[in-house]
Amino acid sequence: MFRRRSHAEPETAEQSLERLQGESAVRDPQAPKGRPTPKRSEAQANRKTKVSVPKDPKAARRQARLRMREERETQRQALLTGDERALPARDRGPLRRFARDYVDARYTVGEFFLPSAVIILILSILPSLAIKNFSLFLWLAVILLIILDSVRVNLGLKKALRAKFPKENLKGVTPYALMRCLQLRRLRLPKPQVKRGEKVA
């Protein structure tokens, strides 16, 4: 019943073709499903077609400089207009936008820090000892007022953020807003999009 044939039947051409096709159909375990692994020359040719970099180093550098200039110009325009799509990563998102509007709609002591520092510096170099002592007292008063005002802005902003974005992570938003408080309004970037006293939605 299980004895071996004494004379094996010769394999026909059709059977040989089917056997070869079956062997080639076995997928290489390292190859992606459905296609064989491409040759190195083919893969390199595909990469070259995808990345269009000039062969001339000078032309490549010129192209890179031109692209960076265009990106900087787009970003500068976004900082002036408040366009969210082209803003830097640190200014992007609804949380940062809300924090900017919250600060820009209010007067803060910190925005007058630079002008007051210049005035105090001028007073401190005058020869009068009384004026020098007054400039020192004025300096301490300004620092104390900035700290108290920063605490006020911080608490108010956190409360407003929790009410508007209850499920969002607020990490880094209040320090971002406090740094904006220390800048003169006309020098802030992105440019303020709300007026003083305007209610922030």
Side-chain angles (χ1 to χ4, degrees), residues 32-53:
K33 186 177 282 188
R35 64 180 178 86
T37 304
K39 294 180 181 179
R40 178 177 294 182
S41 58
E42 294 175 359
Q44 289 176 348
N46 289 336
R47 283 199 296 269
K48 286 179 181 178
T49 56
K50 290 177 183 177
V51 182
S52 58
V53 178

Side-chain angles (χ1 to χ4, degrees), residues 17-127:
L17 182 61
E18 289 177 1
R19 181 175 57 80
L20 290 174
Q21 288 177 348
E23 289 177 359
S24 62
V26 177
R27 187 176 66 87
D28 185 355
Q30 299 296 326
K33 186 177 282 188
R35 64 180 178 86
T37 304
K39 294 180 181 179
R40 178 177 294 182
S41 58
E42 294 175 359
Q44 289 176 348
N46 289 336
R47 283 199 296 269
K48 286 179 181 178
T49 56
K50 290 177 183 177
V51 182
S52 58
V53 178
K55 293 182 179 180
D56 183 14
K58 289 184 178 179
R61 287 196 293 270
R62 195 182 308 114
Q63 185 179 4
R65 283 197 299 268
L66 183 61
R67 187 169 59 250
M68 289 177 63
R69 192 179 301 120
E70 290 175 352
E71 290 175 359
R72 284 197 299 268
E73 179 61 24
T74 304
Q75 198 173 88
R76 189 182 72 84
Q77 290 296 329
L79 289 171
L80 295 175
T81 60
D83 185 4
E84 287 281 338
R85 295 169 297 178
L87 284 176
R90 66 181 179 87
D91 298 311
R92 209 176 296 148
L95 291 172
R96 302 296 173 103
R97 175 64 180 265
F98 183 84
R100 290 197 301 272
D101 291 346
Y102 184 90
V103 171
D104 295 338
R106 289 161 175 77
Y107 283 100
T108 60
V109 179
E111 64 183 293
F112 301 107
F113 170 72
L114 287 178
S116 60
V118 172
I119 294 172
I120 292 170
L121 180 62
I122 293 172
L123 291 176
S124 64
I125 61 177
L126 293 177

